[in-house]
Amino acid sequence: MSKRVLTTESGAPVADNQNSATAGVGGPLLLQDQHLLEKLARFNRERIPERVVHARGSGAYGHFEVTDDVTGFTCADFLGTVGKRTEVFLRFSTVADNLGGADAVRDPRGFAVKFYTEEGNYDLVGNNTPVFFVKDPVKFPDFIHSQKRDPFTGKQEPDNVWDFWAHSPEATHQVTWLMGDRGIPASYRHMNGYGSHTYQWTNAEGEAFFVKYHFKTNQGVRSLSSEQAREIAGTDPNSHQTDLLQAIERGVHPSWTLYVQIMPAAEAADYRFNPFDLTKVWPHGDYPLRRVGRLVLDRNPDNVFAEVEQAAFSPNNFVPGIGPSPDKMLQGRLFAYADAHRYRLGVNHTLLAVNAPKATVAQNYGRDGLMASNNQGRAAKNYEPNSYDGPAETGRPLSAPLAVHGHTGTHEAPLHTKDDHFFQAGELYRLMSRDEQSRLVANIAGGLAQVSRDDVVEKNLAHFHAADPSYGDRVAEAVRALRED
């Protein structure tokens, strides 16, 4: 029996639902990819008024202080002087659950930082894991749908969760992270944060470097077992919010040390892993961590709705010296995040106090729209260029240009010498102690054993076998034992 044809909302057949259109193999995404834009734009508008993802969140203000000289790699002003401080707002969140969900659940945690720099706001949007489940944004709405509440049962379904992962072998690395000991942080203070994506830094000479951000918690990493998490979620669903609020109120200010991995742009093409694949890490032996500074949170918001729920982070908010890479997931988020905020909060959400620049003034020709308060007086013009001394372009790009080549189309990501879906997942598994491996296996089996279709179970077991034969064997045995009980 032939499958029904997947179409766009206008009824046109979809040729490729796995790969976004790019400018050549490995190039940046194309605005002409109507299927991708339609899919992301519709996904952003599926829920009101809470966020579609990262709905359950907490946040705090603080500062970032530069401790080490990185001016050889970036001309970003807020990173330009050792000792320089920049005000920040950091929002933590779970990913899949609703606004009223519990904090102590097995789920990635959002780690979004807004730097209020003198050159404009810089938003760094990441998670508490260095990798993610998918590497192409065209698959992101489908992934989230598989993790959210089922349209019929109204609850998260193991069949949906594991069926998607069965058809997405690239998720094996992140699944290993999520189901391991760090899958449920003890608090927001006791977890690391990662930019996860690859970004570009450009120095004053125009040299380009690719970077990955690592925020290492100075409180030490602490996590919860599945049993501890179930008890805490049942007795205090707001456990992470309570912990962060009370720690700051009593003067215990959480902090993180920022490190970066730096890759000269010329080395990207021949690196053994695709450096722009969000499901991969750069081993520290190849690109060691370089310290940059210290982030401290020292002030709670006065109003959670006004400052946490209305906080809008967009990874396309760059400053001079920092820009995007060809990371396809990042490229998709450059559009999707800002579009989600315009839908959810309105086109003038950047005028809200938590989102507005603090160390400089926004000057542009944006006018009107819902909740407009930026009319700028009768003498101001709303077009450019003009003869009335309005703000004008600088002619200086924020970052170095990305090279493109080849033909447009829906390309799979280019393969590098060590690229596959399972190698790094296996490396992570083998780094774990025997006890850590046992808890990982138990966590995976607990969900996989509930799946109703044997073929879905077998596909997932094949992924774990491909990562490491022992990994697959132990998960298979644990699933069998649970199903026989």
Side-chain angles (χ1 to χ4, degrees), residues 246-325:
Q246 292 183 351
I248 294 175
E249 286 297 293
R250 67 176 184 265
V252 179
H253 298 154
S255 67
W256 289 258
T257 300
L258 172 61
Y259 298 87
V260 292
Q261 291 177 283
I262 300 177
M263 174 188 293
E267 296 180 12
D270 297 323
Y271 186 48
R272 57 194 175 121
F273 305 109
N274 181 352
F276 311 119
D277 181 347
L278 187 55
T279 67
K280 303 286 197 305
V281 297
W282 301 353
H284 294 180
D286 295 345
Y287 296 98
L289 297 179
R290 180 186 294 267
R291 193 176 67 174
V292 180
R294 181 180 174 90
L295 185 152
V296 180
L297 300 181
D298 55 17
R299 179 166 67 88
N300 283 310
D302 293 324
N303 185 291
V304 171
F305 175 78
E307 298 165 86
V308 178
E309 290 312 303
Q310 293 195 125
F313 299 85
S314 299
N316 58 0
N317 286 343
F318 293 114
V319 293
I322 303 177
S325 78

Coordinates of all heavy atoms in Angstrom, one line a residue, residues 246-325:
Q246 N 15.3 31.8 46.5 CA 15.7 31.9 47.9 C 17.3 32.0 48.0 O 17.7 32.7 48.9 CB 15.3 30.6 48.6 CG 13.8 30.6 48.8 CD 13.3 29.4 49.6 OE1 14.1 28.5 50.0 NE2 12.0 29.4 50.0
A247 N 18.0 31.4 47.1 CA 19.5 31.5 47.2 C 19.9 33.0 47.0 O 20.7 33.5 47.7 CB 20.1 30.6 46.1
I248 N 19.3 33.6 45.9 CA 19.7 35.0 45.6 C 19.2 35.9 46.7 O 19.9 36.9 47.2 CB 19.1 35.4 44.3 CG1 19.8 34.6 43.2 CG2 19.3 36.9 44.0 CD1 19.3 34.8 41.8
E249 N 18.0 35.7 47.3 CA 17.5 36.5 48.3 C 18.3 36.5 49.6 O 18.4 37.5 50.3 CB 16.0 36.1 48.6 CG 15.0 36.5 47.6 CD 14.9 38.0 47.4 OE1 14.4 38.7 48.4 OE2 15.3 38.5 46.4
R250 N 18.9 35.3 49.9 CA 19.7 35.3 51.1 C 21.2 35.6 50.8 O 22.1 35.4 51.7 CB 19.6 33.9 51.8 CG 20.1 32.7 51.0 CD 20.0 31.4 51.8 NE 20.6 30.3 51.2 CZ 19.9 29.4 50.4 NH1 18.6 29.6 50.2 NH2 20.6 28.4 49.8
G251 N 21.5 36.1 49.6 CA 22.9 36.5 49.3 C 23.8 35.5 48.8 O 25.0 35.7 48.7
V252 N 23.3 34.3 48.5 CA 24.1 33.2 47.9 C 24.0 33.3 46.4 O 23.0 32.9 45.8 CB 23.7 31.8 48.4 CG1 24.5 30.8 47.8 CG2 23.8 31.8 49.9
H253 N 24.9 34.0 45.7 CA 24.8 34.4 44.3 C 25.4 33.3 43.4 O 26.6 33.1 43.5 CB 25.4 35.7 44.1 CG 24.8 36.8 44.8 ND1 25.4 38.0 45.2 CD2 23.5 37.0 45.3 CE1 24.6 38.8 45.9 NE2 23.4 38.2 46.0
P254 N 24.6 32.6 42.7 CA 25.2 31.5 41.8 C 26.0 32.1 40.7 O 25.8 33.2 40.2 CB 23.9 30.8 41.3 CG 22.8 31.8 41.3 CD 23.1 32.6 42.6
S255 N 27.0 31.4 40.3 CA 27.9 31.9 39.3 C 28.4 30.7 38.4 O 28.4 29.5 38.7 CB 29.2 32.6 39.9 OG 30.0 31.6 40.6
W256 N 28.8 31.1 37.2 CA 29.3 30.2 36.2 C 30.6 30.8 35.6 O 30.7 32.0 35.4 CB 28.3 29.9 35.1 CG 27.1 29.1 35.5 CD1 26.9 27.8 35.2 CD2 26.0 29.6 36.2 NE1 25.7 27.4 35.8 CE2 25.1 28.5 36.4 CE3 25.6 30.8 36.8 CZ2 23.9 28.6 37.1 CZ3 24.4 30.9 37.5 CH2 23.6 29.8 37.6
T257 N 31.6 30.0 35.3 CA 32.8 30.4 34.5 C 32.6 30.1 33.1 O 32.3 28.9 32.7 CB 34.0 29.7 35.1 OG1 34.2 30.0 36.4 CG2 35.2 30.2 34.3
L258 N 32.7 31.1 32.2 CA 32.5 30.9 30.8 C 33.9 30.5 30.1 O 34.9 31.2 30.3 CB 32.0 32.2 30.1 CG 32.0 32.1 28.6 CD1 31.1 31.0 28.0 CD2 31.6 33.5 28.0
Y259 N 33.8 29.4 29.4 CA 34.9 28.9 28.6 C 34.5 28.8 27.1 O 33.3 28.7 26.9 CB 35.4 27.5 29.0 CG 35.9 27.4 30.4 CD1 35.1 27.2 31.5 CD2 37.3 27.6 30.7 CE1 35.5 27.1 32.8 CE2 37.8 27.5 32.0 CZ 36.9 27.2 33.1 OH 37.4 27.1 34.3
V260 N 35.4 28.9 26.2 CA 35.0 28.7 24.8 C 36.0 27.7 24.2 O 37.2 27.7 24.6 CB 35.0 30.0 24.0 CG1 33.9 30.9 24.4 CG2 36.4 30.8 24.1
Q261 N 35.6 27.0 23.2 CA 36.4 26.3 22.3 C 36.6 27.1 21.1 O 35.5 27.6 20.6 CB 35.9 24.9 22.0 CG 35.9 23.9 23.1 CD 35.2 22.6 22.8 OE1 34.0 22.5 22.7 NE2 36.0 21.6 22.5
I262 N 37.8 27.2 20.5 CA 38.0 28.1 19.4 C 38.6 27.3 18.3 O 39.7 26.6 18.4 CB 38.9 29.3 19.8 CG1 38.2 30.1 20.9 CG2 39.2 30.2 18.6 CD1 39.1 31.3 21.4
M263 N 38.0 27.4 17.1 CA 38.5 26.7 15.9 C 38.8 27.7 14.8 O 37.9 28.4 14.4 CB 37.5 25.7 15.4 CG 37.8 25.0 14.1 SD 36.5 24.0 13.4 CE 36.4 22.7 14.6
P264 N 40.0 27.8 14.3 CA 40.2 28.7 13.2 C 39.3 28.3 12.0 O 39.2 27.1 11.7 CB 41.7 28.5 12.8 CG 42.3 28.0 14.1 CD 41.3 27.2 14.8
A265 N 38.7 29.3 11.4 CA 37.7 29.0 10.3 C 38.3 28.1 9.2 O 37.6 27.2 8.7 CB 37.2 30.3 9.7
A266 N 39.6 28.2 8.9 CA 40.2 27.4 7.9 C 40.2 25.9 8.2 O 40.3 25.1 7.3 CB 41.6 27.9 7.6
E267 N 40.1 25.5 9.5 CA 40.2 24.1 9.9 C 38.8 23.4 9.8 O 38.8 22.2 10.0 CB 40.7 24.0 11.3 CG 42.2 24.5 11.4 CD 42.7 24.4 12.8 OE1 42.1 23.7 13.7 OE2 43.8 25.0 13.1
A268 N 37.7 24.2 9.6 CA 36.4 23.6 9.7 C 36.2 22.5 8.6 O 35.6 21.5 8.9 CB 35.3 24.7 9.6
A269 N 36.6 22.8 7.4 CA 36.3 22.0 6.3 C 36.8 20.6 6.4 O 36.2 19.6 6.0 CB 36.8 22.6 5.0
D270 N 38.0 20.4 7.0 CA 38.7 19.1 7.1 C 38.6 18.5 8.5 O 39.3 17.5 8.8 CB 40.1 19.3 6.7 CG 40.3 19.7 5.2 OD1 39.4 19.2 4.4 OD2 41.2 20.5 4.9
Y271 N 37.9 19.1 9.4 CA 37.8 18.5 10.8 C 37.1 17.2 10.7 O 36.2 16.9 9.9 CB 37.0 19.5 11.7 CG 37.0 19.0 13.1 CD1 38.1 18.6 13.8 CD2 35.8 19.0 13.8 CE1 38.1 18.2 15.1 CE2 35.7 18.6 15.2 CZ 36.9 18.2 15.8 OH 36.9 17.8 17.1
R272 N 37.4 16.3 11.6 CA 37.0 14.9 11.5 C 35.5 14.7 11.7 O 34.8 13.8 11.2 CB 37.7 14.0 12.5 CG 37.7 14.4 13.9 CD 38.7 13.6 14.7 NE 38.8 14.0 16.1 CZ 38.6 13.2 17.1 NH1 38.3 11.9 16.9 NH2 38.7 13.7 18.4
F273 N 34.9 15.7 12.5 CA 33.4 15.7 12.6 C 32.9 17.0 11.9 O 33.7 18.0 11.9 CB 33.0 15.8 14.1 CG 33.5 14.7 15.0 CD1 34.5 14.9 15.9 CD2 33.0 13.4 14.8 CE1 35.0 13.9 16.7 CE2 33.5 12.4 15.6 CZ 34.5 12.6 16.5
N274 N 31.7 17.0 11.5 CA 31.1 18.2 11.0 C 31.0 19.2 12.1 O 30.2 19.0 13.0 CB 29.7 17.9 10.4 CG 29.1 19.2 9.8 OD1 29.5 20.3 9.9 ND2 27.9 18.9 9.1
P275 N 31.7 20.3 12.1 CA 31.7 21.2 13.3 C 30.4 22.0 13.4 O 30.3 22.7 14.4 CB 32.9 22.1 13.0 CG 33.1 22.1 11.5 CD 32.7 20.8 11.0
F276 N 29.5 21.9 12.4 CA 28.3 22.6 12.5 C 27.1 21.7 12.7 O 25.9 22.1 12.6 CB 28.1 23.4 11.2 CG 29.3 24.2 10.8 CD1 30.0 23.9 9.6 CD2 29.8 25.2 11.6 CE1 31.1 24.6 9.2 CE2 31.0 25.9 11.3 CZ 31.6 25.6 10.0
D277 N 27.4 20.5 13.2 CA 26.3 19.5 13.4 C 26.0 19.6 14.9 O 26.8 19.3 15.8 CB 26.8 18.1 13.1 CG 25.8 17.0 13.3 OD1 24.8 17.3 14.0 OD2 26.1 15.9 12.8
L278 N 24.7 20.0 15.2 CA 24.3 20.2 16.6 C 24.3 18.9 17.4 O 24.1 18.9 18.6 CB 23.0 20.9 16.7 CG 22.4 21.4 18.0 CD1 23.4 22.2 18.8 CD2 21.1 22.1 17.8
T279 N 24.3 17.7 16.8 CA 24.3 16.5 17.5 C 25.7 16.0 17.8 O 25.9 14.9 18.4 CB 23.6 15.4 16.7 OG1 24.4 15.1 15.5 CG2 22.2 15.8 16.2
K280 N 26.7 16.8 17.5 CA 28.1 16.4 17.8 C 28.8 17.5 18.7 O 28.4 18.6 18.8 CB 28.9 16.5 16.5 CG 28.4 15.6 15.4 CD 28.7 14.1 15.7 CE 28.5 13.2 14.4 NZ 27.2 13.4 13.7
V281 N 29.8 17.0 19.5 CA 30.7 17.9 20.2 C 32.0 17.9 19.6 O 32.4 17.1 18.7 CB 30.8 17.4 21.7 CG1 29.5 17.4 22.4 CG2 31.5 16.0 21.7
W282 N 32.8 18.9 20.0 CA 34.2 19.0 19.6 C 35.0 18.4 20.8 O 35.0 19.1 21.9 CB 34.7 20.4 19.4 CG 34.0 21.2 18.3 CD1 33.0 20.7 17.4 CD2 34.2 22.6 18.0 NE1 32.6 21.8 16.6 CE2 33.3 22.9 16.9 CE3 35.0 23.6 18.5 CZ2 33.2 24.2 16.4 CZ3 34.9 24.9 18.0 CH2 34.0 25.2 16.9
P283 N 35.7 17.3 20.7 CA 36.4 16.8 21.8 C 37.4 17.8 22.3 O 38.1 18.5 21.5 CB 37.1 15.6 21.2 CG 36.2 15.1 20.1 CD 35.7 16.4 19.5
H284 N 37.6 17.9 23.6 CA 38.4 18.9 24.2 C 39.9 18.7 23.9 O 40.7 19.6 24.0 CB 38.2 19.0 25.8 CG 36.9 19.5 26.1 ND1 36.5 19.6 27.5 CD2 35.8 19.9 25.4 CE1 35.2 20.0 27.5 NE2 34.8 20.2 26.3
G285 N 40.2 17.4 23.6 CA 41.6 17.2 23.2 C 42.0 17.8 21.9 O 43.1 18.2 21.6
D286 N 40.9 18.1 21.0 CA 41.2 18.7 19.7 C 41.2 20.3 19.9 O 42.0 21.0 19.4 CB 40.1 18.4 18.7 CG 40.1 16.9 18.3 OD1 41.1 16.2 18.6 OD2 39.1 16.4 17.8
Y287 N 40.2 20.7 20.7 CA 40.0 22.2 20.9 C 39.8 22.4 22.4 O 38.6 22.3 22.9 CB 38.9 22.8 20.0 CG 39.2 22.6 18.6 CD1 38.7 21.6 17.8 CD2 40.1 23.5 18.0 CE1 39.0 21.5 16.5 CE2 40.4 23.4 16.6 CZ 39.8 22.4 15.9 OH 40.2 22.3 14.5
P288 N 40.8 22.6 23.2 CA 40.7 22.7 24.6 C 39.9 24.0 25.0 O 39.8 25.0 24.3 CB 42.1 22.8 25.1 CG 43.0 23.2 23.9 CD 42.2 22.8 22.7
L289 N 39.3 23.9 26.2 CA 38.6 25.0 26.8 C 39.5 26.2 27.1 O 40.6 26.0 27.7 CB 37.8 24.6 28.1 CG 36.8 23.5 27.9 CD1 36.2 23.2 29.3 CD2 35.7 24.0 26.9
R290 N 39.1 27.4 26.7 CA 39.8 28.6 27.0 C 38.9 29.5 27.9 O 37.8 29.9 27.5 CB 40.2 29.3 25.7 CG 40.9 30.6 25.9 CD 41.1 31.3 24.5 NE 42.0 30.6 23.6 CZ 43.3 30.7 23.5 NH1 43.9 31.7 24.2 NH2 44.0 30.0 22.7
R291 N 39.4 29.9 29.0 CA 38.6 30.7 29.9 C 38.4 32.1 29.4 O 39.3 32.8 28.8 CB 39.2 30.8 31.3 CG 38.3 31.3 32.4 CD 38.9 31.3 33.8 NE 40.1 32.2 33.8 CZ 40.7 32.4 34.9 NH1 40.4 31.8 36.1 NH2 41.7 33.3 34.9
V292 N 37.1 32.6 29.6 CA 36.8 34.0 29.1 C 36.4 34.9 30.3 O 36.8 36.0 30.4 CB 35.6 33.9 28.1 CG1 35.3 35.4 27.6 CG2 36.0 33.1 26.9
G293 N 35.5 34.4 31.2 CA 35.0 35.3 32.2 C 34.1 34.6 33.2 O 33.9 33.3 33.2
R294 N 33.4 35.4 34.0 CA 32.6 34.8 35.1 C 31.2 35.5 35.0 O 31.1 36.7 35.0 CB 33.3 35.1 36.4 CG 32.5 34.6 37.7 CD 33.3 35.0 38.9 NE 32.7 34.7 40.2 CZ 32.8 33.5 40.8 NH1 33.6 32.5 40.3 NH2 32.2 33.3 42.0
L295 N 30.1 34.7 35.1 CA 28.8 35.2 35.1 C 28.2 35.0 36.5 O 28.3 33.9 37.1 CB 28.0 34.4 34.1 CG 26.5 34.9 33.8 CD1 26.1 34.6 32.4 CD2 25.5 34.2 34.8
V296 N 27.6 36.0 37.1 CA 27.1 36.0 38.4 C 25.6 36.5 38.4 O 25.3 37.5 37.8 CB 27.9 36.9 39.4 CG1 27.3 36.8 40.8 CG2 29.4 36.5 39.4
L297 N 24.7 35.8 39.1 CA 23.3 36.2 39.2 C 23.1 36.7 40.7 O 23.4 36.0 41.6 CB 22.4 35.0 39.0 CG 22.4 34.4 37.6 CD1 21.4 33.3 37.4 CD2 22.2 35.5 36.5
D298 N 22.7 38.0 40.8 CA 22.6 38.6 42.1 C 21.3 39.4 42.4 O 21.2 40.0 43.4 CB 23.8 39.5 42.3 CG 24.0 40.6 41.3 OD1 23.0 40.8 40.5 OD2 25.1 41.1 41.1
R299 N 20.3 39.3 41.5 CA 19.1 40.1 41.7 C 17.9 39.3 41.1 O 17.9 38.9 39.9 CB 19.2 41.5 41.1 CG 17.9 42.3 41.2 CD 18.2 43.8 40.9 NE 18.5 44.0 39.5 CZ 17.6 44.3 38.6 NH1 16.3 44.3 38.9 NH2 18.0 44.5 37.4
N300 N 16.9 39.1 41.9 CA 15.7 38.5 41.4 C 14.8 39.5 40.7 O 14.8 40.7 41.0 CB 14.9 37.9 42.6 CG 15.5 36.6 43.0 OD1 15.8 35.7 42.3 ND2 15.7 36.5 44.4
P301 N 14.0 39.1 39.7 CA 13.0 39.9 39.1 C 12.0 40.4 40.1 O 11.6 39.6 41.0 CB 12.4 39.1 38.0 CG 13.3 37.9 37.8 CD 14.0 37.7 39.1
D302 N 11.4 41.5 39.9 CA 10.3 42.0 40.8 C 9.0 41.4 40.4 O 8.1 41.3 41.2 CB 10.2 43.5 40.8 CG 11.5 44.2 41.4 OD1 12.0 43.6 42.4 OD2 11.9 45.3 40.9
N303 N 8.8 41.1 39.1 CA 7.6 40.5 38.6 C 7.9 39.4 37.6 O 8.5 39.7 36.5 CB 6.8 41.6 37.9 CG 5.4 41.2 37.5 OD1 5.3 40.4 36.6 ND2 4.4 41.6 38.2
V304 N 7.5 38.2 37.9 CA 7.9 37.0 37.1 C 7.3 37.1 35.7 O 7.9 36.9 34.7 CB 7.5 35.7 37.8 CG1 7.6 34.5 36.9 CG2 8.3 35.5 39.1
F305 N 6.0 37.6 35.6 CA 5.4 37.7 34.3 C 6.1 38.7 33.5 O 6.4 38.5 32.3 CB 3.9 38.0 34.4 CG 3.3 38.2 33.1 CD1 2.9 37.1 32.3 CD2 3.0 39.5 32.6 CE1 2.4 37.3 31.0 CE2 2.5 39.7 31.4 CZ 2.1 38.6 30.6
A306 N 6.3 39.9 34.0 CA 6.8 41.0 33.2 C 8.2 40.8 32.8 O 8.6 41.2 31.7 CB 6.7 42.3 34.0
E307 N 9.0 40.1 33.6 CA 10.4 40.0 33.3 C 10.9 38.6 32.9 O 11.9 38.5 32.2 CB 11.2 40.4 34.6 CG 10.9 41.9 34.9 CD 11.4 42.3 36.3 OE1 12.6 42.6 36.5 OE2 10.6 42.2 37.2
V308 N 10.2 37.5 33.4 CA 10.6 36.2 33.0 C 9.8 35.7 31.8 O 10.3 35.2 30.8 CB 10.5 35.2 34.2 CG1 10.9 33.8 33.8 CG2 11.4 35.6 35.3
E309 N 8.5 35.8 31.9 CA 7.6 35.3 30.9 C 7.7 36.2 29.6 O 7.5 35.7 28.5 CB 6.2 35.2 31.4 CG 6.0 34.1 32.4 CD 6.6 32.8 31.9 OE1 6.3 32.3 30.8 OE2 7.5 32.2 32.6
Q310 N 7.9 37.5 29.8 CA 8.0 38.4 28.6 C 9.4 38.6 28.1 O 9.6 39.3 27.1 CB 7.4 39.8 29.0 CG 5.9 39.7 29.2 CD 5.2 41.0 29.2 OE1 4.3 41.3 28.4 NE2 5.7 42.0 30.0
A311 N 10.4 37.9 28.8 CA 11.7 38.0 28.3 C 11.8 37.3 26.9 O 11.3 36.2 26.8 CB 12.7 37.3 29.3
A312 N 12.4 37.9 25.9 CA 12.5 37.4 24.6 C 13.9 37.3 24.2 O 14.6 38.3 24.1 CB 11.7 38.3 23.6
F313 N 14.4 36.1 23.8 CA 15.7 35.8 23.4 C 15.7 35.4 22.0 O 15.0 34.5 21.6 CB 16.4 34.8 24.3 CG 16.4 35.1 25.7 CD1 15.4 34.8 26.6 CD2 17.6 35.6 26.3 CE1 15.4 35.1 27.9 CE2 17.7 35.9 27.6 CZ 16.6 35.7 28.4
S314 N 16.6 36.1 21.2 CA 16.6 35.8 19.7 C 18.1 35.6 19.4 O 18.9 36.5 19.5 CB 16.0 36.9 18.9 OG 14.7 37.1 19.2
P315 N 18.5 34.4 18.9 CA 19.9 34.2 18.6 C 20.4 35.0 17.4 O 21.6 35.0 17.1 CB 19.9 32.7 18.2 CG 18.5 32.3 17.9 CD 17.7 33.2 18.7
N316 N 19.5 35.7 16.7 CA 19.9 36.7 15.7 C 20.3 38.0 16.2 O 20.6 39.0 15.5 CB 18.9 36.8 14.6 CG 17.5 37.3 15.0 OD1 17.4 37.5 16.2 ND2 16.6 37.4 14.1
N317 N 20.2 38.2 17.6 CA 20.7 39.5 18.2 C 22.2 39.4 18.4 O 22.6 39.0 19.5 CB 19.9 39.7 19.5 CG 18.5 40.1 19.3 OD1 18.1 40.6 18.2 ND2 17.7 40.0 20.3
F318 N 22.9 39.7 17.4 CA 24.4 39.7 17.5 C 24.9 41.1 17.8 O 24.2 42.1 17.6 CB 25.0 39.1 16.2 CG 24.7 37.7 16.0 CD1 23.9 37.3 14.9 CD2 25.2 36.7 16.8 CE1 23.7 35.9 14.7 CE2 25.0 35.4 16.6 CZ 24.2 35.0 15.5
V319 N 26.2 41.2 18.1 CA 26.9 42.5 18.2 C 28.2 42.4 17.4 O 28.6 41.3 17.0 CB 27.2 42.8 19.7 CG1 26.0 43.0 20.5 CG2 28.1 41.7 20.3
P320 N 28.8 43.5 17.1 CA 30.0 43.4 16.3 C 31.1 42.5 16.9 O 31.3 42.6 18.1 CB 30.5 44.9 16.3 CG 29.3 45.7 16.4 CD 28.4 44.9 17.3
G321 N 31.6 41.6 16.0 CA 32.6 40.6 16.5 C 32.0 39.2 16.7 O 32.8 38.3 16.9
I322 N 30.7 39.1 16.6 CA 30.0 37.8 16.8 C 29.0 37.6 15.8 O 28.2 38.5 15.5 CB 29.4 37.7 18.2 CG1 30.4 38.0 19.3 CG2 28.8 36.3 18.4 CD1 29.9 37.9 20.7
G323 N 28.9 36.4 15.2 CA 27.9 36.2 14.1 C 27.6 34.7 14.0 O 28.0 33.9 14.8
P324 N 26.8 34.3 13.0 CA 26.4 32.9 12.9 C 27.4 32.1 12.2 O 28.3 32.6 11.6 CB 25.1 33.1 12.1 CG 25.4 34.2 11.2 CD 26.2 35.2 12.0
S325 N 27.2 30.8 12.3 CA 27.9 29.8 11.5 C 26.9 29.1 10.5 O 25.7 29.4 10.6 CB 28.6 28.8 12.4 OG 27.6 27.8 12.9

